[in-house]
Amino acid sequence: MKVIIDSSKNIASRAADLYEEVLNRKPDAVLGFATGSTPLELYAELIARVQNKRISFQNVTTFNLDEYVGLEPTHNQSYRYFMDHNLFQSIDLDPAKVHIPSGLKIGQEELDAYEAAIAACGGIDMQLLGIGRNGHIGFNEPGTPFGALTHKVRLTESTIEANSRFFATKDEVPKEAVTMGIRTVMNARRLILIALGDSKAEIVAKTVNGPVTEEVPASVLQLHPDAYIFADEEAAKYL
Ligand code: GLP
């Protein structure tokens, strides 16, 4: 793992450099995106670079990590809505090349179709990740087998609690989600995990220096041949 400690502003720009490098090399790259507050600065930087004509997403295909079960794409807390508003609407991406798991059609057929769509595009070139306070990546909660592909999950109490800040009441937070599995994530040719702030410090230390264990899903990145972990000073304080 390549661990990089820097300010959140510099992380956004250094991670954007990785996008620029991939897009220069492969304009039709397959990119995996993530939601949460963590990637917002990076997304703003990518939008700025599109506006400055430094990069283009015209030929890019995207796959998102996850989606809540039961939320309409128009729901303002759905991950579809998040991506549209924080990135996709502001870049030159072809909407037909955007893939986000459906939170409404969640049968095995749809889950398998998501994996098949990734494979049909030749796999993901670069997958962005945030990290949950319990070490989840996507919505792969502790205990998820490393071999899992795209699947439906029950969210843990701690994740529901952490994500309730975005909903009017905790009761409104969906209890289930659809997520790429750990294996889906690990199949990506390059991984970029960003961790910001104090609340991620303990889990970042376990991810980087702890044993590789299904109890800390992000620890699996230690086994990836091309994984970057970007942490700000607060998130890196126990490294
Ligand atoms: C959600 C998402 C994760 C994300 C995590 C952290 O649970 N499913 O993909 O990494 O939140 O969110 P934040 O970046 O807001 O801390």
Side-chain angles (χ1 to χ4, degrees):
M1 283 195 292
K2 295 169 270 281
V3 179
I4 295 156
I5 302 167
D6 210 334
S7 67
S8 67
K9 188 170 184 294
N10 289 346
I11 288 173
S13 134
R14 291 171 76 166
D17 289 345
L18 293 176
Y19 282 84
E20 197 165 322
E21 183 246 308
V22 169
L23 292 170
N24 283 338
R25 178 162 45 87
K26 188 176 176 189
D28 60 347
V30 180
L31 300 174
F33 284 116
T35 55
S37 41
T38 305
L40 286 174
E41 254 181 299
L42 166 62
Y43 290 166
E45 178 64 22
L46 293 177
I47 292 167
R49 290 190 191 197
V50 171
Q51 284 165 355
N52 296 338
K53 308 239 181 298
R54 271 176 74 168
I55 53 174
S56 168
F57 287 84
Q58 228 167 0
N59 298 308
V60 163
T61 300
T62 73
F63 287 90
N64 257 75
L65 277 173
D66 48 9
E67 180 59 287
Y68 286 118
V69 167
L71 298 191
E72 297 284 341
T74 51
H75 189 289
N76 67 6
Q77 289 309 324
S78 76
Y79 286 168
R80 158 70 67 170
Y81 184 96
F82 177 98
M83 289 310 301
D84 284 346
H85 286 79
N86 291 301
L87 184 65
F88 295 161
Q89 280 176 3
S90 308
I91 58 176
D92 54 347
L93 189 63
D94 175 358
K97 294 199 174 105
V98 168
H99 303 81
I100 300 186
S102 168
L104 301 176
K105 293 182 186 159
I106 51 172
Q108 194 55 47
E109 206 178 309
E110 284 82 16
L111 302 174
D112 292 345
Y114 202 67
E115 289 289 332
I118 294 173
C121 295
I124 295 172
D125 291 299
M126 192 157 81
Q127 175 66 51
L128 181 64
L129 301 166
I131 182 169
R133 286 174 225 179
N134 62 5
H136 74 225
I137 48 177
F139 269 131
N140 291 283
E141 299 282 28
T144 308
F146 283 163
L149 294 171
T150 299
H151 62 295
K152 193 177 83 165
V153 292
R154 268 205 92 69
L155 302 180
T156 61
E157 220 18 67
S158 82
T159 297
I160 292 172
E161 184 68 51
N163 291 1
S164 65
R165 67 189 193 279
F166 300 113
F167 293 81
T169 65
K170 195 175 145 190
D171 284 347
E172 284 177 36
V173 185
K175 308 290 178 281
E176 293 180 313
V178 171
T179 183
M180 282 185 195
I182 303 276
R183 192 157 123 215
T184 324
V185 169
M186 287 294 280
N187 281 341
R189 285 182 271 279
R190 173 178 283 172
L191 300 178
I192 303 180
L193 185 149
I194 304 180
L196 304 176
D198 223 30
S199 66
K200 304 289 173 69
E202 276 178 36
I203 200 64
V204 164
K206 286 187 186 165
T207 297
V208 174
N209 293 323
V212 176
T213 164
E214 290 176 351
E215 290 316 308
V216 181
S219 67
V220 76
L221 266 69
Q222 293 181 33
L223 306 178
H224 195 281
D226 191 12
Y228 288 81
I229 303 219
F230 288 98
D232 65 3
E233 296 286 349
E234 290 76 22
K237 71 178 178 185
Y238 299 132
L239 288 182

